[in-house]
Amino acid sequence: MGETLGEVGEFGLIARITASLPSSDATLVGPGDDAAVVATPDGRVVATTDVLVEGRHFRLGWSTPYDVGRKAAAQNLADICAMGARPTALLVGLAAPASFLVADAERLAAGLADEASSVGAAVVGGDVVASDTLVLSVTALGSLDGRAPVLRSGARAGDVLVVAGTLGGAAAGLAALRAGRDDLDAVALHRVPRPPYDAGPALALLGATAMVDVSDGLTGDLGHVARASGVGFEIDVALLPADPSVAAAADALGVDPVEWLLGGGEDHALVATLPPGVASPYPVVGRAVAESGIRWLGATTVPPSYDHFG
Amino acid sequence: MGETLGEVGEFGLIARITASLPSSDATLVGPGDDAAVVATPDGRVVATTDVLVEGRHFRLGWSTPYDVGRKAAAQNLADICAMGARPTALLVGLAAPASFLVADAERLAAGLADEASSVGAAVVGGDVVASDTLVLSVTALGSLDGRAPVLRSGARAGDVLVVAGTLGGAAAGLAALRAGRDDLDAVALHRVPRPPYDAGPALALLGATAMVDVSDGLTGDLGHVARASGVGFEIDVALLPADPSVAAAADALGVDPVEWLLGGGEDHALVATLPPGVASPYPVVGRAVAESGIRWLGATTVPPSYDHFG
């Protein structure tokens, strides 16, 4: 079965993991001290934290430890990008049973490090503790490189609404796994989302007035923007950029894909508002309006947004 | 019994907690967006993360939720100070059962916020998720204010070893709780440690060559410094600054307090090396020597260091 965390201990595991972690230009002091030191060129740091719990946010029967690491990194890196920032560093807390395999912990760390490396960021610190439940907490740091942060509160009536990345794939993949159809392409997007990281800074440079990443479903996340900005939205459902795997999954499972597009979380597409007249390289799906609420043009049903305790 | 997390939901809880959180000068964007933005005046950020698991790092039967919040904040803030830095911000991940009381979550958040406020830092972000096990992950950020970080690797033979803060209190308090003696003063230090936060930047300014906070026990934590610096230490046990509550607990429980002084973690005293000849406002307890290993002058037994999976 291989060595367990209980056998090698906290410090043994940390020594093995940190030995293989790639560094980055922004890493001034990496793992192994009381804290890390990361460069913040413009005198500000963007910071976000997310917690993933086995059995709720992932299942090791459905995803490999490597996939879980990549997914945990991706959802935090996407939050940094949704501010218009560039990710620079991750810190990782792992609470795991003593029976957890060292090899699986190393694969999980490799997934975190690989996803971070894909955007030029590095794992700079962490903590390992014993727990009956496997819990992964990730903190991401990022740099705005002199730009203003793009908040949820800046959308104005008349702005156009654009989506970078695709929608529905992660939800379709989860539905496929629940139906025992792990042969469907969407499953890969449930296991490892593919956020459009570069679109965050790009949309900030284009003058985005508000931005959010789709982590809990488009309905819920756009609702946050609408409330924070004091606007409403009109959205043409036919214009939403569905992942190519969604249609096939909908056919195979006999499901209306609109619920995945509007209610599915964990795709980490970036949704932003741009002033009218800005040429967008990302598809325009609707516009901000003065009246509150979200009107879905062409939708028959609107699923509720996701709540972790709901 | 009061409302539970399952009843108010993730967003309901976050709305209640963030409404009462104090801010700070360094908080440029606080809770409520995809990520926070924190000022980093000298172009660097110090960052550390720790995970606390109910039943292992704390027990809600022995500590109030408010105490747990303060303790979780304290151990992360102490890590920032052990780099010679000043804490600026906390991010908090809470994984809790749906049956967890909203009022307890609010008390926990108040403990985190109060401890952070005591050093001028603020809670700037977080995440709340459902979990069978109560797990708290805290990330602390800090500023070096232009100073070089004080690493574990800089001690040189001939340096003097100083301790800021006191030792043994948290371990004595835990022993008291295990013995059913919650009347002993040391119990308060197990529940809420009192790290000497200001000593971190002060020791950096005095020219500290290495520094570490005592989280896993003096033996283990000094061992990290010894290995990283390639030195050994000679320490006079009689000079170690025991917390005043330690002697009373040792008498009451019939225990030799040396094991708490040398092996007890969670006091978050700061241990540092200073070049010879520097006048120290903190007690000198020994010196760094060329020969590896730690020699305890006057100790009869040396307990092993703490390992979370041991």
Side-chain angles (χ1 to χ4, degrees):
Chain A
M1 279 297 287
E3 282 181 303
T4 65
L5 264 54
E7 286 160 4
V8 305
E10 173 193 4
F11 298 116
L13 178 66
I14 291 172
R16 289 205 205 177
I17 288 176
T18 54
S20 63
L21 289 177
S23 189
S24 76
D25 290 347
T27 309
L28 305 178
V29 175
D33 220 296
D34 291 276
V37 183
V38 178
T40 58
D42 73 358
R44 298 169 298 171
V45 67
V46 182
T48 182
T49 198
D50 269 331
V51 181
L52 292 87
V53 179
E54 214 273 328
R56 296 179 189 267
H57 302 93
F58 62 90
R59 291 192 195 182
L60 286 178
W62 285 352
S63 301
T64 66
Y66 179 82
D67 288 344
V68 171
R70 286 193 60 186
K71 180 175 181 163
Q75 72 181 58
N76 281 277
L77 298 168
D79 278 328
I80 296 293
C81 295
M83 300 297 282
R86 169 180 59 86
T88 54
L90 295 182
L91 297 103
V92 181
L94 173 66
S99 60
F100 198 64
L101 293 178
V102 171
D104 283 341
E106 290 179 313
R107 290 180 191 112
L108 201 157
L112 284 153
D114 284 355
E115 192 71 17
S117 292
S118 77
V119 291
V123 178
V124 299
D127 190 21
V128 178
V129 300
S131 166
D132 293 336
T133 307
L134 181 63
V135 177
L136 194 59
S137 72
V138 180
T139 299
L141 306 180
S143 173
L144 286 160
D145 297 328
R147 295 181 295 274
V150 183
L151 307 182
R152 298 177 174 185
S153 55
R156 292 161 300 193
D159 286 349
V160 298
L161 187 70
V162 304
V163 177
T166 62
L167 298 167
L174 180 58
L177 285 167
R178 285 183 171 148
R181 290 295 304 271
D182 65 0
D183 58 306
L184 296 172
D185 288 345
V187 167
L189 289 172
H190 165 74
R191 291 179 174 145
V192 181
R194 290 198 290 265
Y197 298 118
D198 293 344
L203 282 159
L205 289 167
L206 286 168
T209 52
M211 184 154 44
V212 71
D213 89 302
V214 181
S215 52
D216 293 333
L218 187 59
T219 306
D221 289 314
L222 258 188
H224 297 316
V225 176
R227 280 186 295 278
S229 296
V231 299
F233 288 105
E234 285 182 0
I235 297 161
D236 188 334
V237 173
L239 297 178
L240 293 174
D243 188 82
S245 66
V246 167
D251 278 351
L253 303 177
V255 172
D256 181 351
V258 74
E259 70 176 78
W260 297 332
L261 294 178
L262 273 54
E266 303 198 334
D267 288 296
H268 305 290
L270 295 175
V271 182
T273 48
L274 289 169
V278 171
S280 168
Y282 309 104
V284 174
V285 301
R287 62 192 186 101
V289 296
E291 311 89 272
S292 65
I294 302 181
R295 276 164 295 285
W296 302 96
L297 310 179
T300 50
T301 59
V302 177
S305 66
Y306 184 71
D307 189 298
H308 290 297
F309 290 96
Chain B
M1 280 294 289
E3 281 181 304
T4 65
L5 264 54
E7 286 161 6
V8 305
E10 173 193 2
F11 297 117
L13 177 66
I14 290 172
R16 289 205 203 175
I17 288 175
T18 55
S20 64
L21 288 178
S23 190
S24 76
D25 290 346
T27 308
L28 306 178
V29 175
D33 219 296
D34 291 275
V37 184
V38 178
T40 58
D42 72 0
R44 298 170 299 171
V45 66
V46 182
T48 182
T49 198
D50 270 330
V51 181
L52 292 87
V53 179
E54 215 273 328
R56 295 178 190 267
H57 302 95
F58 61 89
R59 290 193 195 181
L60 286 177
W62 285 352
S63 301
T64 65
Y66 179 81
D67 288 343
V68 171
R70 286 193 60 187
K71 180 175 180 163
Q75 72 181 58
N76 282 278
L77 298 168
D79 278 328
I80 296 294
C81 295
M83 300 297 283
R86 170 180 59 86
T88 54
L90 295 182
L91 296 104
V92 181
L94 173 66
S99 61
F100 198 65
L101 293 178
V102 171
D104 282 342
E106 291 179 312
R107 291 180 190 113
L108 202 156
L112 284 152
D114 285 355
E115 191 71 18
S117 291
S118 77
V119 291
V123 177
V124 298
D127 190 22
V128 178
V129 301
S131 167
D132 292 335
T133 307
L134 181 63
V135 178
L136 194 58
S137 72
V138 179
T139 299
L141 306 180
S143 173
L144 286 159
D145 297 327
R147 294 181 295 274
V150 183
L151 307 182
R152 297 177 175 186
S153 55
R156 292 162 299 194
D159 287 349
V160 298
L161 187 71
V162 304
V163 177
T166 61
L167 298 167
L174 180 59
L177 285 166
R178 286 184 169 148
R181 289 295 304 270
D182 65 1
D183 58 305
L184 295 172
D185 289 345
V187 168
L189 289 172
H190 165 73
R191 290 179 174 143
V192 181
R194 292 199 289 266
Y197 297 119
D198 293 344
L203 281 160
L205 289 168
L206 286 169
T209 52
M211 184 152 45
V212 71
D213 89 303
V214 181
S215 52
D216 293 333
L218 187 60
T219 305
D221 290 314
L222 258 189
H224 297 316
V225 175
R227 281 187 294 278
S229 296
V231 299
F233 288 105
E234 285 182 0
I235 297 162
D236 189 334
V237 173
L239 297 178
L240 293 175
D243 188 82
S245 65
V246 167
D251 279 351
L253 303 177
V255 171
D256 181 351
V258 74
E259 71 176 78
W260 296 331
L261 294 178
L262 272 55
E266 303 196 335
D267 288 296
H268 305 291
L270 295 176
V271 182
T273 47
L274 289 170
V278 171
S280 168
Y282 309 105
V284 174
V285 302
R287 62 193 186 101
V289 295
E291 310 89 274
S292 64
I294 302 181
R295 275 163 295 283
W296 301 96
L297 310 180
T300 49
T301 59
V302 177
S305 66
Y306 184 71
D307 189 297
H308 290 299
F309 289 96

